[in-house]
Amino acid sequence: GTATLLATVTGVGTGPFTFIYPTNSSPLTSFTKTIGIVTTTYNVFAIALAPGQAGTALSIAQAHIGSFTQGQTVATYGISVRTAGATPSTGTVSVTDTLPALLTATAIDGPGWTCTLSPLACTRSDSLAGASGYPPIFVTASVDPNAASSVTNQAGVSGGGSTSANFSDVTSIQPPFTDVGSTNAFLPAI
């Protein structure tokens, strides 16, 4: 279904914005990423369209699972690009990602995408049919031990015959786990 909401979105402007969402509890799209033996599924439940997006309307969403940890060496964001309208995309589609301070990109990839680490971006020139999505892009980063407890990752899509769209993903970063062993002097003897 769709819903229209009057809102102000940072970097985009004042709505009304149209949100596309499923009429049941299923996600609009989902994608998976395997790192080593761990496979993570990312679900996207809503896509926001900027005012005036008609015809070809590319949308972008990103997700991560849970909280990241200070000092974590493999933290992953998944980025999804879809056409929200019925019209296919035309021309080159570009995706950029701006990681927050003290997160450092170590890899970026996605099937069919041509990606670079500096700047952190991916492009492709094949047309995307209306109401469908490209394969996801995955950004892998390391988290500095001094990273803030809450950071925001920014992703944007442009080209393809569509207006540009942006998405912000707020990420919680936890302090590292400290193992308290029996050799610590402050613990009582058992």
Side-chain angles (χ1 to χ4, degrees), residues 6-102:
L6 182 60
T8 300
V9 177
T10 303
V12 177
T14 300
F17 293 93
T18 301
F19 291 87
I20 298 174
Y21 60 93
T23 54
N24 56 29
S25 61
S26 300
L28 286 172
T29 187
S30 59
F31 43 91
T32 60
K33 173 73 173 180
T34 301
I35 298 175
I37 61 170
V38 178
T39 299
T40 304
T41 300
Y42 299 82
N43 294 311
V44 177
F45 286 94
I47 296 173
L49 301 180
Q53 280 187 314
T56 301
L58 290 178
S59 63
I60 189 165
Q62 61 178 314
H64 68 280
I65 301 299
S67 298
F68 294 167
T69 303
Q70 291 172 330
Q72 184 175 345
T73 57
V74 179
T76 304
Y77 288 100
I79 301 173
S80 173
V81 175
R82 298 186 54 83
T83 52
T87 306
S89 68
T90 58
T92 301
V93 172
S94 299
V95 172
T96 58
D97 189 55
T98 305
L99 288 175
L102 300 180

Side-chain angles (χ1 to χ4, degrees), residues 71-139:
Q72 184 175 345
T73 57
V74 179
T76 304
Y77 288 100
I79 301 173
S80 173
V81 175
R82 298 186 54 83
T83 52
T87 306
S89 68
T90 58
T92 301
V93 172
S94 299
V95 172
T96 58
D97 189 55
T98 305
L99 288 175
L102 300 180
L103 269 68
T104 303
T106 57
I108 182 170
D109 63 5
W113 292 94
T114 301
C115 301
T116 61
L117 269 174
S118 183
L120 200 54
C122 294
T123 59
R124 65 186 305 144
S125 58
D126 54 322
S127 179
L128 180 60
S132 63
Y134 284 122
I137 297 168
F138 294 97
V139 177

